[in-house]
Amino acid sequence: MHAGSRRRLAIDTVRIEGGSIIGGAPDEGGFLARCERDGRTTAVLSVERPRPFEPARRELARGASVVEAAVAYR
């Protein structure tokens, strides 16, 4: 498991971007989740998804907004 360098607050929205959670546990193949606040990623969490985690982690380090990240991934 990998986690971003910032912490999630109760006001953050958690969005599963890849994979899924079934019955409170990661589905086969894991998942990638983002915590967002005011349009910015505040934390990322990856379980068994190292490939999509790295760009998300770099985005978090840059402080890019969700909109900027969506444009960058096109």
Side-chain angles (χ1 to χ4, degrees), residues 12-32:
D12 292 346
T13 300
V14 179
R15 182 167 48 96
I16 304 295
E17 266 193 7
S20 60
I21 298 174
I22 297 177
D27 193 12
E28 228 177 271
F31 68 89
L32 175 74

Side-chain angles (χ1 to χ4, degrees), residues 2 6 11 19 27 30 34 41 44 50 53 59 61-62 64 66-67:
H2 305 284
R6 298 183 186 162
I11 62 171
D27 193 12
R34 290 177 185 266
T41 300
V44 293
F53 176 76
E59 172 196 325
R62 270 196 347 262
V66 174
V67 172

Side-chain angles (χ1 to χ4, degrees), residues 27-69:
D27 193 12
E28 228 177 271
F31 68 89
L32 175 74
R34 290 177 185 266
C35 296
E36 299 167 349
R37 184 181 328 130
D38 298 327
R40 297 209 175 268
T41 300
T42 59
V44 293
L45 173 69
S46 174
V47 174
E48 296 183 27
R49 290 199 169 228
R51 187 168 288 181
F53 176 76
E54 286 307 313
R57 183 187 60 78
R58 285 191 296 273
E59 172 196 325
L60 178 63
R62 270 196 347 262
S65 72
V66 174
V67 172
E68 291 167 340

